[in-house]
Each structure stands twice: as structure tokens, then as C-alpha cells.
Amino acid sequence: MTNIEKIKDLIAKGEVRNTNVEFKKCKNELGQFVYETICAFLNRNGGDLLLGVDDHGSITGINESAIDNHIKNIINTLNNIELFNPVVFLTPEVLEIDEKKIIYIHVPESSQVHRFKNKIFDRVGDADNNITNSYHLIENMYLRKNKASSENNVCPFLTLDELDEGSFKKMRAHISIYNAAHPWLEMSNEEMLRSAGFWRRDPLTNQEGYILAVVLLFGKEQTILNYCPWHRTDAIYRNMTYKRFLNPLPTDPDVRYNDRDMVCVNLIESYVRLMNFIERNMPDVFALDERGINRLDLRNMLFREIVSNLLLHREYASTFSSKLLIFSDRVISENWTKPMQIGNVTLDTLETHTKNPLITKVFREMKWAEELGSGKKNIKKFAPLYYDKYKIEIQNNEKFIFSITYRDVEEDFNEKEKEPRSQAEDLKQEPSRKGAKQKKEPSKKRSQAKKGAKQKQILVFCSNPQDMKEIMIQIEYKNRYKFRLNYIKPMLEEGLLSMTFPDNPNHQDQKYITTKKGKATL
């Protein structure tokens, strides 16, 4: 028997404060919207339906003569496979509150996808949405109904030859740094995979084999393409604020992106590629540890959490391409998942659970991830050190969106971000600008001479191929972004330097070498 006080509490909270509650008046007749709500509740997280209550939470009651017909029609419709498929068995209850009778129906979450009149409804917020023609939304609904993680899917024909030996070596190299006695270090690849639970028997087909997690962690590029062709992370850097990207000016150039890396490799290589992408497009911020002795690489410590979460907490059966979007004021990550919560949440209220425990286990052994919940703690710890006015926004739906602001959005990033001044203001400021130009001319020449000296130093050092980090150390330059903008890019354009991988500028092993033209300038 339902507790009357519980129902009163649901009514008092209202529909807006509880998206899993729906009120319908239905004083004399039932509308099809009742069944649409039941269908949506079944397909989502379940809910409570109250007939005889209006949208504002006022108890209007159901006419005595209509109650029996309402219950009969609900039971018959839900058990008619031509109207409701698959059928469902619910028990409507008649309750009396304030001398008025209502009908209460508790709808549990279903393990199946239901249709009403051959239409699929999903509960989003306080609305029942018809998603029948939305392929991706239906696909994700089936994924959500499947409680097992896709990492456990058995791949009976997968062999060790289809795995990348270099990824195993990287895994062991990272593990050995922290635990030289780790048992995986002495095992063969096959022994390690079997001992860690990566070999399974499919209970439905009775076939044995390595699971999809093995492909995702260690697969070669062709193996990834064969077993998980939709797996990729699109990393994009745009040299503008997020607000400017959403609302460009008519005078803005039509630039789709300033840097991009389409990452379609296994997760170990993906992590390395994405961290390299962060390194070359995000400002470098250092701080001292609590003892004031050692430097902390805040960029690495903060964004490794974001990158690892992007890779680990993902539903890999979905065709959605994950994204790492970097703007001049914020970083946004997007991936498809199976949410436990729905809607906007904060870092404090976000409920964490491991989506892919076996994949996470390998990352944890490599120290690329820590125990469950540590990511939130680390972000809260390092974000204010990286930027004291940081702001985090989270949308936790099928598409999980994490956004962190790392710079003052009101500041202009460069001259292209500034609004043009009026002609009158230009004329008014002309004398002072002219004087300022005359004063700054000598320092400008000194700056050009200093830049020219460093370019020659680079050309000499790059007589043998060198990567960007080595060059920066050689000329004692710390800001990677400015170094790329002020030295590497112009010298490539002038033909003084060339790349060892010219067809793939973002190659992880990219190096730079002095050209014949560059040697001629020395």
C-alpha cells in the first residue's frame, strides 16, 4: 500500500523540482499523453504518474464515475501489443487526499525499449520526447538498457598478432617507474592479459576470446578499425574565445581551426597524443610545491585528469566521436556515456562510477589514473592554482560535457579579438601614438636583433633533427605556444627549417632540421 505522506511530498515538490514525476488532470477522460509519459518513464529512469493533479500541483481529483474506466483502459492499453510493445504490467492505485480521489501509478525503469503506437518516447527533463526518427538517440537508449560495459564484449577471433607491441612496452615502462616488482613486468603479453581478466567466455554464444578492452588498449590502428571503427577523439584548437566562436563578427576570417589532431589509435597512444596536443596549445603554468622546493607542472597535473576521464568514462559501443576542444579561454571535452544522473551538475554533486573497470585498471597501474573520485579532488586542487578564477560547467546526459575556463574571458587574446575603434578616436589619438612609436623604435630594433640571433642559434642546433622541446631548452625559451608562433612557424614558412614528417605536422615524433636555404644564411 502506498504511503499517503509520500504522495503528498511528491505533489508538494512539484514537477519542476522532480523530473521523474508527472501530473495529469484526467478528471473525466484519459488522453494518449498518459501513455506517452508511461512509455517515456519506462525507457528512461522510471517515475511516478499522478492522475487527478494539475500542472501546478493542485489536487483536482477524478470524478467517481470515471475512476473504474480509467483503470480498465490503462491496464488494457498497456497489455495490448498492437498499442504498447512490449507490453508492461503496472498496478494503478486509487488514493484519497483532501477528500478527493486520484490515481497513482509507479512506473519502474524497464530493461527493454518500449513503443506506444509504434513511437518511441524518452523522458528528458520534464518532457516526453518522441525520438522515433532520431537514430542516434534510439541507439544510445539500447546501449543504456544494456547494463554491461561494452569493454567486456568477447572478440573470439582476435589474436596477439593484431596488437601493438610498442603499446605493451610503454605500459610496462610506466609501471616500472613506480613499481619495479610489478608482476606484469615479467609476464608475456598473453600471460598478462589472461591474468588481468581480459580473456572471457561469452555466456550467450559460449565462445571464448579476448575482450574489446584489449583492442581499445593495445590494438594496432587496423585492429581498431576492424573491431571499433567509430572510435576516435577529435582534438581541435581554435585561437579565439568560446564566446567569439559562437558569435563571430562579420569581419572574422573563416578559420575552422588553428590546430587539429584526429586521434584514431589505441587508448595508450591516444593518451600520449592528447597530452602532446594539450602541451603545444595550452599555456604553461608552474608553481612550487608545499615545501617551496620543487616545481609543479600544473598544466600536466590538471589536464591529465581531464584527458584520462575523457578516455576512461566513455561508452565505446556508441558511434559518437569524442572531442577535446581548446579555445583561448576554456577547454571543453565531450564523450558519450551511460549517465547515472541527468542534467546540469557541479563537480561536488557529480556521482562518479567506473564505466570501464578493466581499461581503468591498466591506466591506474600506469599512474595515468588514480582511485575512483580522485579526479574530482585533483581538479579542485590544481584548477585554482592554474587560474584562480576558474569556472567548471558540467552537463551529464548521454553526451557528457565538461568545460573549464582557464583564462579571463573578458580579456582580448590578440588584436583580432579587439573591437575596432571609431575613426574619430583614431584621429584623436594620432599624435600620442606617433610619439610612442618614435620612442619604441630602438627597443623594437633590439628585439628584432635578439630574435635574429636566436634563429641562427636554432639553425645551428638543427643541423641534426631536433624536436621542439629540445630546441626550446637549447635557446632557453619556456612558452611553447609563443615559441611555435614566433620561431618555428615563420622559419618553416621561410624555408629555413623543414619537418621530418611534413605530411603529418602533428606527428608525435615530429622533428625539425635546417634546410639548404637555412644553412646558406649562417
Side-chain angles (χ1 to χ4, degrees):
M1 194 71 179
T2 301
N3 188 322
I4 296 294
E5 295 303 318
K6 172 191 171 184
I7 302 303
K8 288 183 178 179
D9 186 54
L10 288 177
I11 295 173
K13 288 181 178 178
E15 295 178 319
V16 176
R17 295 178 61 185
N18 190 346
T19 58
N20 292 336
V21 172
E22 182 70 22
F23 302 151
K24 305 290 185 186
K25 291 177 67 174
C26 302
K27 196 172 186 68
N28 295 299
E29 295 181 355
L30 290 174
Q32 74 171 22
F33 45 76
V34 170
Y35 304 108
E36 293 173 0
T37 296
I38 292 175
C39 183
F41 277 160
L42 289 165
N43 287 335
R44 178 58 67 166
N45 300 319
D48 296 295
L49 176 61
L50 296 169
L51 309 183
V53 183
D54 68 15
D55 292 340
H56 302 290
S58 299
I59 300 175
T60 58
I62 300 174
N63 285 340
E64 191 80 29
S65 59
I67 290 177
D68 289 341
N69 284 334
H70 280 7
I71 293 176
K72 182 179 178 180
N73 287 337
I74 290 170
I75 293 174
N76 288 341
T77 300
L78 297 182
N79 287 274
N80 185 343
I81 197 169
E82 294 183 359
L83 295 176
F84 215 92
N85 185 20
V87 299
V88 62
F89 301 96
L90 300 178
T91 306
E93 292 185 60
V94 180
L95 305 175
E96 186 170 331
I97 301 177
D98 299 335
E99 299 181 350
K100 295 178 181 178
K101 291 187 176 180
I102 66 172
I103 295 177
Y104 167 65
I105 306 172
H106 174 68
V107 183
E109 179 184 0
S110 175
S111 61
Q112 299 174 291
V113 174
H114 293 264
R115 295 172 180 261
F116 172 62
K117 291 186 176 179
N118 209 32
K119 294 179 181 178
I120 300 176
F121 293 89
D122 193 10
R123 186 76 173 177
V124 180
D126 60 352
D128 306 318
N129 292 342
N130 181 358
I131 64 168
T132 309
N133 297 320
S134 301
Y135 169 77
H136 289 292
L137 295 179
I138 294 174
E139 176 194 42
N140 199 65
M141 181 178 287
Y142 278 98
L143 290 175
R144 188 171 5 101
K145 297 297 181 183
N146 181 8
K147 297 302 180 183
S149 173
S150 58
E151 73 165 2
N152 291 308
N153 294 346
V154 174
C155 306
F157 304 108
L158 178 67
T159 66
L160 292 173
D161 292 337
E162 297 176 86
L163 306 181
D164 178 42
E165 181 63 31
S167 298
F168 281 101
K169 289 181 179 179
K170 283 185 180 178
M171 176 198 70
R172 291 188 175 93
H174 279 274
I175 290 175
S176 65
I177 295 173
Y178 304 98
N179 185 1
H182 197 288
W184 289 359
L185 301 180
E186 300 300 325
M187 293 181 181
S188 67
N189 294 343
E190 182 178 7
E191 290 171 338
M192 172 263 160
L193 292 174
R194 285 179 176 266
S195 68
F198 289 97
W199 179 275
R200 297 278 179 88
R201 180 189 296 274
D202 190 324
L204 297 178
T205 64
N206 206 35
Q207 289 183 311
E208 285 188 315
Y210 293 113
I211 58 176
L212 184 63
V214 175
V215 174
L216 293 168
L217 281 166
F218 305 106
K220 297 177 180 178
E221 287 194 48
Q222 186 58 48
T223 309
I224 297 284
L225 185 62
N226 292 340
Y227 287 90
C228 199
W230 45 84
H231 161 57
R232 72 178 186 185
T233 304
D234 197 0
I236 298 176
Y237 169 67
R238 295 184 175 94
N239 186 17
M240 62 176 63
T241 63
Y242 183 61
K243 181 179 179 181
R244 188 65 164 263
F245 170 70
L246 296 179
N247 302 285
L249 296 175
T251 55
D252 284 344
D254 185 20
V255 179
R256 296 179 61 189
Y257 54 83
N258 300 92
D259 191 7
R260 185 176 190 178
D261 190 3
M262 188 72 73
V263 183
C264 306
V265 292
N266 67 49
L267 298 183
I268 291 177
E269 300 299 331
S270 292
Y271 179 89
V272 174
R273 289 263 292 272
L274 291 173
M275 288 305 296
N276 285 339
F277 190 83
I278 289 280
E279 186 177 340
R280 68 174 179 261
N281 290 305
M282 290 292 296
D284 203 0
V285 178
F286 288 96
L288 294 177
D289 62 13
E290 296 175 353
R291 298 178 299 170
I293 299 175
N294 298 317
R295 287 201 310 173
L296 300 175
D297 185 348
L298 293 175
R299 178 179 59 189
N300 179 277
M301 300 173 83
L302 174 60
F303 288 100
R304 57 165 263 178
E305 300 293 345
I306 295 171
V307 169
S308 62
N309 286 335
L310 177 65
L311 296 175
L312 298 179
H313 300 297
R314 181 189 299 186
E315 177 45 62
Y316 284 99
S318 172
T319 58
F320 180 81
S321 297
S322 294
K323 298 179 180 64
L324 179 67
L325 308 175
I326 301 178
F327 298 90
S328 62
D329 63 329
R330 73 173 66 189
V331 175
I332 301 173
S333 66
E334 300 179 3
N335 62 283
W336 214 254
T337 184
K338 294 178 181 177
M340 294 183 67
Q341 299 164 280
I342 299 295
N344 295 332
V345 296
T346 66
L347 203 58
D348 291 321
T349 61
L350 177 64
E351 296 178 6
T352 56
H353 67 288
T354 304
K355 309 292 195 310
N356 300 291
L358 287 173
I359 294 174
T360 302
K361 179 181 179 180
V362 173
F363 268 55
R364 190 177 294 125
E365 298 298 324
M366 298 172 69
K367 302 302 181 185
W368 285 355
E370 298 177 38
E371 70 274 6
L372 186 63
S374 63
K376 294 200 304 181
K377 295 177 183 177
N378 288 336
I379 290 174
K380 291 173 69 175
K381 178 180 179 181
F382 298 122
L385 298 176
Y386 193 80
Y387 174 56
D388 59 353
K389 298 178 182 178
Y390 80 99
K391 181 180 179 182
I392 289 176
E393 299 171 86
I394 302 173
Q395 296 179 37
N396 193 23
N397 298 298
E398 276 88 357
K399 184 165 72 170
F400 181 88
I401 303 176
F402 179 94
S403 169
I404 179 169
T405 300
Y406 67 89
R407 182 181 169 276
D408 188 350
V409 294
E410 298 301 324
E411 293 179 8
D412 291 314
F413 185 70
N414 53 38
E415 290 300 319
K416 289 187 289 185
E417 292 279 324
K418 295 180 181 178
E419 296 288 346
R421 295 190 305 181
S422 66
Q423 186 175 4
E425 289 176 314
D426 283 340
L427 292 173
K428 186 178 178 180
Q429 297 293 326
E430 185 63 33
S432 60
R433 283 175 23 205
K434 184 177 180 181
K437 183 178 180 181
Q438 291 173 346
K439 290 180 182 179
K440 292 182 179 179
E441 193 66 34
S443 64
K444 184 177 180 181
K445 288 182 178 179
R446 287 196 297 270
S447 176
Q448 289 175 342
K450 183 178 179 181
K451 184 176 181 180
K454 285 192 177 293
Q455 283 185 339
K456 288 185 178 180
Q457 191 178 354
I458 292 171
L459 293 175
V460 172
F461 184 62
C462 289
S463 57
N464 294 315
Q466 308 289 346
D467 64 28
M468 191 178 298
K469 188 174 183 179
E470 292 168 337
I471 303 172
M472 290 174 63
I473 293 173
Q474 178 68 19
I475 69 168
E476 298 180 348
Y477 206 102
K478 295 181 179 179
N479 190 310
R480 188 182 181 94
Y481 171 76
K482 289 184 178 180
F483 178 70
R484 185 185 184 90
L485 183 68
N486 296 332
Y487 288 95
I488 296 297
K489 186 178 178 182
M491 294 177 76
L492 288 172
E493 291 174 349
E494 293 176 29
L496 303 176
L497 289 177
S498 64
M499 293 182 285
T500 54
F501 295 92
D503 296 329
N504 186 2
N506 300 321
H507 196 285
Q508 61 182 354
D509 296 322
Q510 186 68 265
K511 293 186 177 182
Y512 303 89
I513 187 170
T514 305
T515 63
K516 290 183 178 180
K517 181 179 178 181
K519 291 178 180 178
T521 63
L522 296 175

